[in-house]
Amino acid sequence: MSVTAITGARVFDGEKTLGVTTVLVEGGRIARIGGDAPAGAEIVDGSGATLLPGLIDAHVHSAPGSLALALRFGVTTELEMQGMNTRENRGPITDDDTLADVRSSGFAITPPGGHPSELMPEGFRPKWDLPPVMPLMPFSTTPEEAAAFVPQLLARGSDFIKFMIDDGSVEGHPGLPSLDQVTVNAGVAEAKKHGALTVAHALTVEATRMAAEAGIDGVTHVFMDQPHTTEIISLIKDAGMFVIPCISLNASMMGITGSELADDPRVAARLDSKWDQTLRSSYNRYPQGKLDDVYDTVRALDAAGIDVLAGSDVSMPETFFGGLAHGASLHHELQYLVAAGLTPSRALRAATATTARRFRLSDRGRIAEGLRADLLLVDGDPVSNISDTLNTRAVWRRGTHLAA
């Protein structure tokens, strides 16, 4: 069994900086931290670089080729918040070290005609191969329906249960069919009986309030319809919820493109023309929104000690899902989190240890003995300059070095 010793790099272990130390990788796991490289080990010189845990994007929607693209940016795990990569479909992904690993909610509980149907242009059909087993479509309008779908979703391989709480007001479709409070409550209560993690799509303060009242574990967006109040921050904190702000998505909803990111040569070299075009576009569905309000909210969440997780809400290479690209946008999200007021270290935790802890991924998200050797080596020091996360020198998934 081959042994790799990464030497001379500063190590950020997902929680804190360990300084310059050797990390030993064997059999797809982190075998040792510190000490000398053993005789016969393959030496990777990390001088001038920082070794990070592989990054985790806490909010994606997969597309053809997206897991390979994510891995090229050092995103070793993606959390799919609506899609087809449930346990029954992802066997080949689990064993393929050229792809990011994935966990999935399957399809979210939503009413017929509810979110995200309003995002699709009329007649649009995604161009990809169907999975071996089509995910369950848990359309629900009553508490009984929502509760009944939960054990079915779990039996079909959903890793967590997602609820759509969205009346369409932010997307320009007011009056969109949406789950009501009693239906969300019933679904969440059933999920708790099964010990399942629950998340909610919520773009407004009212939807966030509903999620908190239902006992949801976390929301997959930060609201953008109004500034935060002390009351809503306290409600989120008292409910013990985590928040995946997806500032990059909010910016896109406000008409802000990802063109500046696309112009970065570190990004441009890894994107094809379709993803480049998508990144240079935007959703532009809520131009009246104020990014400074979102920044203020995220800063208040962090100051209150609420777990903030890094996610992008990236999906397909289509301009109506613009401003986002797999892998690249998680690095953009880290930059946005720092712009909102998080320290670089806290932003890095949001894409590593904090997300792993909140999504019960006990085998990753940190550099610690016995964990998966999902690793990202970058030139520079992202603890001082968060943009350095894009300076990719090497990526490992389960100890397998990703070929350039």
Side-chain angles (χ1 to χ4, degrees):
M1 189 176 295
S2 63
V3 177
T4 300
I6 305 166
T7 65
R10 289 177 295 271
V11 175
F12 179 83
D13 71 355
E15 295 282 356
K16 61 188 181 301
T17 300
L18 302 182
V20 175
T21 189
T22 295
V23 174
L24 205 65
V25 173
E26 183 176 7
R29 299 278 168 175
I30 298 167
R32 193 181 75 213
I33 299 172
D36 297 327
E42 176 192 0
I43 305 297
V44 175
D45 183 5
S47 299
T50 301
L51 187 66
L52 306 167
L55 304 179
I56 304 171
D57 191 329
H59 189 153
V60 309
H61 305 277
S62 299
S66 61
L67 293 171
L69 179 59
L71 191 62
R72 289 201 292 273
F73 283 93
V75 176
T76 54
T77 302
E78 291 195 321
L79 304 182
E80 187 180 70
M81 291 296 160
Q82 171 130 315
M84 302 180 184
N85 289 313
T86 52
R87 281 192 306 276
E88 60 191 356
N89 285 326
R90 66 167 179 261
I93 295 170
T94 300
D95 297 327
D96 189 342
D97 291 326
T98 67
L99 306 176
D101 199 13
V102 64
R103 296 292 182 273
S104 180
S105 65
F107 277 67
I109 293 175
T110 194
H115 181 81
S117 61
E118 82 287 358
L119 298 180
M120 308 294 179
E122 188 173 351
F124 173 75
R125 293 291 182 273
K127 297 179 178 65
W128 57 45
D129 294 332
L130 295 177
V133 182
M134 283 299 295
L136 184 66
M137 303 291 186
F139 293 122
S140 302
T141 56
T142 67
E144 293 77 16
E145 287 174 339
F149 272 123
V150 168
Q152 296 179 61
L153 287 164
L154 295 172
R156 294 280 296 273
S158 292
D159 297 289
F160 39 90
I161 304 296
K162 184 178 181 183
F163 299 84
M164 299 292 196
I165 311 175
D166 193 333
D167 63 3
S169 57
V170 169
E171 296 93 339
H173 284 75
L176 193 73
S178 183
L179 299 176
D180 60 19
Q181 186 71 66
V182 292
T183 301
V184 178
N185 290 354
V188 173
E190 182 66 21
K192 288 182 182 297
K193 291 179 185 176
H194 294 269
L197 186 77
T198 55
V199 296
H201 164 101
L203 290 172
T204 65
V205 168
E206 180 55 31
T208 304
R209 191 186 313 277
M210 287 177 62
E213 181 176 321
I216 287 279
D217 290 301
V219 286
T220 64
H221 293 277
V222 71
F223 52 85
M224 68 173 83
D225 62 324
Q226 56 185 282
H228 74 275
T229 62
T230 302
E231 185 265 341
I232 191 64
I233 298 298
S234 296
L235 186 65
I236 293 168
K237 182 176 177 62
D238 292 346
M241 291 198 303
F242 60 81
V243 177
I244 309 169
C246 294
I247 304 174
S248 46
L249 180 279
N250 285 13
S252 179
M253 292 285 283
M254 296 171 191
I256 300 169
T257 74
S259 293
E260 185 175 345
L261 182 68
D263 287 338
D264 188 324
R266 300 171 298 177
V267 173
R270 288 178 259 189
L271 298 183
D272 64 21
S273 60
K274 188 72 171 175
W275 277 113
D276 177 80
Q277 183 184 19
T278 300
L279 189 54
R280 293 181 187 278
S281 306
S282 73
Y283 276 70
N284 196 27
R285 288 174 174 266
Y286 198 67
Q288 66 268 42
K290 297 179 180 179
L291 193 59
D292 283 343
D293 286 347
V294 173
Y295 283 160
D296 290 345
T297 299
V298 172
R299 186 163 54 251
L301 292 167
D302 182 59
I306 294 163
D307 282 335
V308 172
L309 280 55
S312 64
D313 199 9
V314 61
S315 55
M316 292 178 263
E318 301 286 350
T319 54
F320 50 85
F321 292 132
L324 304 166
H326 281 268
S329 289
L330 184 64
H331 294 270
H332 204 193
E333 186 69 17
L334 296 178
Q335 296 172 23
Y336 271 128
L337 289 172
V338 171
L342 272 67
T343 65
S345 289
R346 293 183 81 83
L348 291 170
R349 286 177 211 155
T352 55
T354 302
T355 294
R357 172 170 53 81
R358 292 306 302 247
F359 275 87
R360 307 171 184 175
L361 301 173
S362 59
D363 64 343
R364 68 196 70 190
R366 293 174 295 125
I367 297 176
E369 292 179 5
L371 299 193
R372 282 171 60 113
D374 290 350
L375 300 167
L376 171 60
L377 185 67
V378 298
D379 290 322
D381 182 11
V383 174
S384 300
N385 178 12
I386 196 63
S387 177
D388 284 352
T389 60
L390 278 166
N391 296 334
T392 308
R393 188 185 292 188
V395 176
W396 292 266
R397 185 205 196 251
R398 295 193 310 176
T400 299
H401 180 253
L402 181 67

